[in-house]
Amino acid sequence: MALLPVTPLLAVSLASRGGNYESRLHIAELQKRGDWAGLESYAQSRITQDPKDEDSWILLGYSQLQLGKTAAAVESLMLETRLSPEEIDGWNLLAEALRLAGRHEEALRALDYATAIDPTSAVSKFLLGEVY
């Protein structure tokens, strides 16, 4: 069960989730360097400032997936999907985290939500194939 490169699984780039220009630049630089621990720390500091910022939860879950912290990513992304149930990236990332955790039935349920948001999503369809 190899970890997929998560970036193609996102409909919106990580950097666009930064809010202001400096934040977007910082996120892009962390991603470019592959500094997932730095991105995790940055996301956690943003969550401390605003626990309801769904973009920060996406950043946190994404970085945790890259670091192999699957259980933590599941927890972060579950919270993100409660904060922003219409966000397809949250559901797709949650499905990937659940798949990596061996929780295939739950991954399928997450993908049900994702496909309800966008029935044409190639990412959701790809992930369905990965789960099966």
Side-chain angles (χ1 to χ4, degrees):
M1 240 190 304
L3 178 63
L4 295 172
V6 182
T7 305
L9 301 181
L10 298 173
V12 177
S13 73
L14 280 182
S16 70
R17 297 180 181 282
N20 65 41
Y21 178 76
E22 291 80 21
S23 183
R24 289 192 303 269
L25 215 54
H26 184 62
I27 292 166
E29 183 58 34
L30 290 169
Q31 184 179 13
K32 181 180 172 185
R33 288 195 323 250
D35 184 358
W36 309 121
L39 185 60
E40 180 185 38
S41 176
Y42 181 67
Q44 288 169 331
S45 71
R46 285 179 43 162
I47 288 166
T48 299
Q49 294 173 13
D50 182 2
K52 294 186 178 189
D53 177 15
E54 63 269 6
D55 285 337
S56 295
W57 288 103
I58 289 265
L59 291 171
L60 182 59
Y62 177 94
S63 62
Q64 290 167 329
L65 274 176
Q66 292 296 331
L67 290 167
K69 298 178 178 180
T70 308
V74 166
E75 187 175 316
S76 296
L77 293 163
M78 282 186 167
L79 205 152
E80 189 282 333
T81 57
R82 285 193 292 275
L83 288 173
S84 186
E86 74 289 345
E87 169 65 62
I88 194 168
D89 283 341
W91 289 109
N92 284 331
L93 286 172
L94 176 59
E96 176 65 357
L98 289 165
R99 180 188 74 83
L100 291 169
R103 296 163 61 178
H104 295 247
E105 292 298 319
E106 291 172 89
L108 288 173
R109 283 195 298 278
L111 289 168
D112 283 343
Y113 284 103
T115 55
I117 294 167
D118 181 2
T120 65
S121 169
V123 171
S124 299
K125 290 177 182 180
F126 172 79
L127 289 170
L128 278 169
E130 289 294 303
V131 172
Y132 286 108

